[in-house]
Amino acid sequence: MTARWPVRRPTEHAALRAVCRSARPIPPVPALMSALIDAVDRRDLEGVCLAAHRVVRAAAPKELGE
């Protein structure tokens, strides 16, 4: 048996593509900062990255091409 890392998850990729195509309002910055603090407290590196990117996007939407 051969181990492959990372395990391919086609449904996860399909879900991410669908989310990228949908236009949803960005939550307010205080809510995103709260999520960022929670992710840091839990040592969730992926959550920190996602929350930080969303904070930047919510804080300056015009400079990011929205």
Side-chain angles (χ1 to χ4, degrees), residues 8-24:
R8 188 165 178 257
R9 294 179 177 89
T11 54
E12 180 181 3
H13 296 294
L16 289 173
R17 279 194 306 271
V19 167
C20 289
R21 286 191 305 261
S22 67
R24 294 181 294 160

Side-chain angles (χ1 to χ4, degrees):
M1 183 182 291
T2 309
R4 296 180 78 192
W5 185 257
V7 176
R8 188 165 178 257
R9 294 179 177 89
T11 54
E12 180 181 3
H13 296 294
L16 289 173
R17 279 194 306 271
V19 167
C20 289
R21 286 191 305 261
S22 67
R24 294 181 294 160
I26 296 176
V29 174
L32 293 171
M33 289 299 293
S34 176
L36 179 61
I37 291 169
D38 288 342
V40 169
D41 288 344
R42 294 177 183 172
R43 295 187 176 120
D44 177 12
L45 296 179
E46 187 174 351
V48 168
C49 185
L50 290 172
H53 281 92
R54 294 207 53 186
V55 166
V56 170
R57 181 167 284 219
K62 297 299 177 198
E63 288 80 17
L64 298 174
E66 287 187 1

